[in-house]
């Protein structure tokens, strides 16, 4: 709908203070966690967490291979957010992490062979997120309040 926007997608809880100060309406805030089943919903998540961990790790390794060369990286699976996990792993090998590299590679692979980067679980997470977005948008439009109200 023209003039209608979803107010925000939260990657963690950084938008909650904005809702508290009435900058954003709490019912219009989405979390990446909305893409997960209740039983597997992470406390914090970034958009990268919609992908399977092994897929994201392969994207990072491939996209950073010129800098990595033969260096080994140790990935700490206890770090819940994939981007932070890989950032720490690369830092341990003295390689600067760039979130845009695996993102660009993901888009390339989506155009060439999507099943190499999107598992059934990842597709389900994306579908749940878009269903949540559509539901929030539908409620916002029904309120007929316009953008950011």
């Amino acid at each position: 709908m023209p003039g209608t926007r979803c107010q925000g997608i939260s990657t963690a809880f950084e938008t909650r203070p904005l809702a508290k100060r009435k900058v954003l309406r709490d019912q219009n805030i989405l979390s990446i966690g909305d893409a997960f089943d209740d039983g597997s919903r992470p406390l914090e998540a970034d958009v990268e967490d919609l992908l399977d961990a092994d897929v994201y790790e392969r994207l990072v390794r491939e996209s950073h291979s010129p800098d990595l060369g033969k260096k080994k990286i140790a990935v700490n699976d206890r770090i819940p957010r994939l981007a932070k996990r890989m950032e720490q792993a690369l830092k341990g090998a003295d390689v600067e992490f760039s979130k845009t590299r695996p993102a660009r590679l993901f888009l390339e692979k989506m155009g060439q062979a999507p099943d190499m980067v999107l598992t059934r679980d990842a597709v389900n997470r994306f579908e749940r997120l878009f269903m949540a977005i559509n539901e929030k948008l539908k409620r916002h439009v029904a309120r007929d309040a316009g953008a950011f109200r």
Side-chain angles (χ1 to χ4, degrees), residues 23-55:
V23 173
L24 297 176
R25 294 178 61 88
D26 194 45
Q27 64 265 30
N28 289 353
I29 297 172
L30 288 164
S31 165
I32 295 296
D34 293 336
F36 292 82
D37 286 327
D38 288 338
S40 65
R41 184 185 179 107
L43 291 175
E44 295 181 13
D46 299 311
V47 71
E48 294 86 357
D49 296 303
L50 294 172
L51 300 176
D52 287 6
D54 60 327
V55 169

Side-chain angles (χ1 to χ4, degrees), residues 15-26 29:
T15 57
R16 296 299 175 218
L18 295 175
K20 198 174 205 176
R21 291 190 327 235
K22 306 284 189 220
V23 173
L24 297 176
R25 294 178 61 88
D26 194 45
I29 297 172

Side-chain angles (χ1 to χ4, degrees), residues 2 11 17 23 28-29 33 35 42 47 55 68 86 94 96-97 105 107 110 115 119-120 124 131-132 134-135 146-147:
T11 59
V23 173
N28 289 353
I29 297 172
V47 71
V55 169
L68 276 172
M86 296 309 299
D94 290 323
E96 188 176 339
F97 176 64
L105 184 58
L107 292 175
M110 279 295 294
D115 23 329
T119 63
R120 171 66 13 223
N124 289 340
M131 287 189 309
N134 287 334
E135 183 59 36

Side-chain angles (χ1 to χ4, degrees), residues 68 71-76 79 84-97:
L68 276 172
K71 294 178 185 176
K72 302 284 184 205
I73 62 172
V75 179
N76 182 351
I79 298 173
K84 289 290 182 192
R85 180 185 304 176
M86 296 309 299
E87 180 178 27
Q88 285 302 109
L90 292 178
K91 185 177 182 181
D94 290 323
V95 173
E96 188 176 339
F97 176 64

Side-chain angles (χ1 to χ4, degrees), residues 104-124:
R104 188 178 318 116
L105 184 58
F106 172 75
L107 292 175
E108 287 175 21
K109 291 188 180 287
M110 279 295 294
Q112 299 163 357
D115 23 329
M116 289 182 65
V117 289
L118 275 184
T119 63
R120 171 66 13 223
D121 288 340
V123 168
N124 289 340

